[in-house]
Structure formats: structure tokens, C-alpha cells
């Protein structure tokens, strides 16, 4: 567990940047970050011009840039001042139900998307249902209709089946997402952020010295 109180604002922003970088690399094109310090998340997000969901206490932050602000008050989530449900129903960890809107990844040793999809598939007994959970925030928050229309700027992850490691029977193509590999290409808001593991837009931050200093022994 990290003691974040020892970090400067600049160091916290570097950690936030690293978290967003890893999530995008793994194909999570709409990161959702729960924080009691939303100003740092908002600053980092605006600097990289990326759409990010911020969950924070109601009344301590304002909608800004491409931030999607989900507020928490009395164990209830609000979006655009409208109630969307109870925290325990919408933020899920080990127990996965149809009501889940956000998956709490803090307990997982990795945020590799393949691993997360595998976990959700084990809980839902269905890969399509697992994938629906990952795109559900787009629909509930009114971000997207789920279709790539003319002039749209979609979020897309691409697995290149020309890679022999991803070759699989055509009847089971959906299982490529469970084989441990990050996507070959990641697009967010119509912009390509990663191509075959190479960042085309974000600078990979160096935070090992920061994290080691803040780790509790």
C-alpha cells in the first residue's frame, strides 16, 4: 500500500500518468479512476487530451475538459446530477452481477486486459457478457451508441491475427482475447495511442524511484 501523503503534486501526477499509460496499453480505452484528489487526475487528463472517468466525493470537483465526473454521496453515485445507483451495486470486485458498472481492479496483480476478461468470463460464464461489462460505461454514461458511424471517433482495440501466436480456429476467434496478449493497436477517441506495443502519443513515465520511496515495508 502506498502512502500518497509523502508525494508532491508533480509526483502524484506522474503516478496517475503511469496508471493511465498502462491501462491504455492493455486496451482499457476509457479509464475510470476513483480518487480523493481529482485535481491531479483532471490536470493529467487534460494534458494528454484523453477521456477519463473520475469518481470522487460529490462537490469537490467540477466538470472540466474531457473528464466524465461521477460523484459519490451517501453511498450513491451521481452523473450529471442524476442518481445512477448505489456504490455497492455499481462498483464490483469479486462478486460480478448484471448491475456492475465499474470493475474495481485494485485487488488484481495485473491490469492485463486478457486476464481481466478471463476473470469476468469465469464469473459470468460467458465471454460476450464479460465484454459487455467492459463497454457498459459507454452506454450508461451516454458516451457512445456502440456503432462506428461516419465521422465518429471511436475507441477500438485490435488483435492482429497474422501474428502466429494469436492463430486460432475461426470458430473460436473471440478466445484470442483470453490468451494473455495486449492488443496490437489501441485507438481512443479516434486517435491511435499504441501500435504493436509502441506508444505513438504518450511518453512512458519513470516512476520506480517514486513508488519505492512510498512503499510500506
Amino acid at each position: 500500500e502506498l502512502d500518497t501523503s509523502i508525494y508532491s503534486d508533480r509526483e502524484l501526477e506522474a503516478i496517475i500518468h503511469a496508471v493511465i499509460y498502462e491501462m491504455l496499453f492493455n486496451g482499457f480505452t476509457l479509464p475510470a479512476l476513483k480518487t480523493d484528489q481529482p485535481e491531479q487526475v483532471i490536470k493529467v487528463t487534460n494534458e494528454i487530451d484523453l477521456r477519463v472517468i473520475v469518481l470522487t466525493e460529490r462537490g469537490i470537483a467540477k466538470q472540466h475538459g474531457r473528464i466524465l465526473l461521477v460523484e459519490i454521496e451517501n453511498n450513491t453515485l451521481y452523473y450529471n446530477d442524476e442518481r445512477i445507483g448505489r456504490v455497492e451495486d455499481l462498483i464490483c470486485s469479486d462478486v460480478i452481477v448484471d448491475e456492475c458498472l465499474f470493475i474495481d481492479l485494485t485487488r488484481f496483480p495485473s491490469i492485463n486486459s486478457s486476464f481481466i476478461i478471463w476473470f469476468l468470463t469465469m464469473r459470468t460464464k460467458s465471454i460476450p457478457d464479460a465484454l459487455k461489462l467492459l463497454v457498459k460505461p459507454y452506454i450508461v454514461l451516454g458516451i457512445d451508441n456502440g456503432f462506428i458511424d461516419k465521422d465518429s471517433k471511436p475507441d477500438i482495440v485490435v488483435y492482429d491475427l497474422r501474428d502466429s501466436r494469436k492463430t486460432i480456429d475461426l470458430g473460436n476467434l473471440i478466445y484470442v482475447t483470453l490468451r494473455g496478449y495486449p492488443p496490437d493497436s489501441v485507438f481512443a477517441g479516434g486517435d491511435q495511442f499504441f501500435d504493436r506495443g509502441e506508444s505513438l502519443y504518450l511518453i512512458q513515465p519513470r516512476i520506480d524511484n517514486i513508488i519505492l520511496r512510498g512503499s510500506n515495508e
Side-chain angles (χ1 to χ4, degrees):
E1 183 178 349
L2 293 178
D3 177 11
T4 58
S5 66
I6 70 171
Y7 297 127
S8 66
D9 287 350
R10 190 166 184 173
E11 289 172 332
L12 283 173
E13 289 161 12
I15 294 171
I16 293 165
H17 185 110
V19 170
I20 292 174
Y21 183 100
E22 184 177 359
M23 294 189 78
L24 275 172
F25 173 82
N26 278 286
F28 293 104
T29 53
L30 183 62
L33 304 180
K34 186 174 182 291
T35 178
D36 57 1
Q37 298 175 310
E39 61 279 358
Q40 275 86 16
V41 177
I42 292 172
K43 181 179 180 181
V44 171
T45 300
N46 287 335
E47 286 177 351
I48 62 180
D49 193 26
L50 180 71
R51 182 170 50 201
V52 172
I53 298 171
V54 173
L55 295 93
T56 194
E57 183 181 347
R58 197 174 191 186
I60 69 171
K62 294 183 179 179
Q63 187 75 38
H64 194 282
R66 302 187 70 186
I67 286 291
L68 301 167
L69 188 63
V70 175
E71 298 181 289
I72 304 171
E73 183 179 58
N74 296 328
N75 203 41
T76 302
L77 297 183
Y78 295 86
Y79 180 64
N80 287 336
D81 287 328
E82 293 186 6
R83 182 184 184 277
I84 57 176
R86 299 186 307 169
V87 169
E88 60 264 32
D89 295 330
L90 301 184
I91 302 178
C92 301
S93 180
D94 187 60
V95 178
I96 305 298
V97 294
D98 290 342
E99 290 79 12
C100 294
L101 181 59
F102 303 109
I103 308 300
D104 182 1
L105 303 182
T106 56
R107 61 180 290 271
F108 293 106
S110 168
I111 59 171
N112 175 276
S113 56
S114 179
F115 171 71
I116 302 302
I117 295 170
W118 171 84
F119 169 82
L120 295 177
T121 300
M122 293 301 100
R123 292 295 189 271
T124 63
K125 308 303 180 184
S126 165
I127 294 180
D129 287 344
L131 295 175
K132 285 178 183 178
L133 282 172
L134 294 180
V135 301
K136 190 175 180 180
Y138 287 92
I139 299 170
V140 172
L141 301 183
I143 300 168
D144 196 274
N145 61 9
F147 298 94
I148 301 177
D149 298 321
K150 183 179 179 181
D151 298 326
S152 65
K153 296 182 178 180
D155 293 354
I156 302 174
V157 294
V158 178
Y159 288 87
D160 187 352
L161 299 182
R162 294 173 297 181
D163 185 334
S164 62
R165 296 171 300 172
K166 301 182 182 72
T167 301
I168 197 168
D169 180 88
L170 291 177
N172 297 293
L173 284 179
I174 196 166
Y175 287 94
V176 170
T177 59
L178 300 183
R179 299 182 72 180
Y181 302 109
D184 293 290
S185 297
V186 179
F187 296 81
D191 295 322
Q192 186 173 11
F193 278 78
F194 286 92
D195 181 36
R196 300 183 185 279
E198 179 182 355
S199 176
L200 304 180
Y201 185 65
L202 299 178
I203 297 174
Q204 184 174 8
R206 174 77 183 273
I207 63 166
D208 54 302
N209 56 331
I210 302 174
I211 296 298
L212 290 173
R213 181 163 54 84
S215 297
N216 293 325
E217 298 182 357

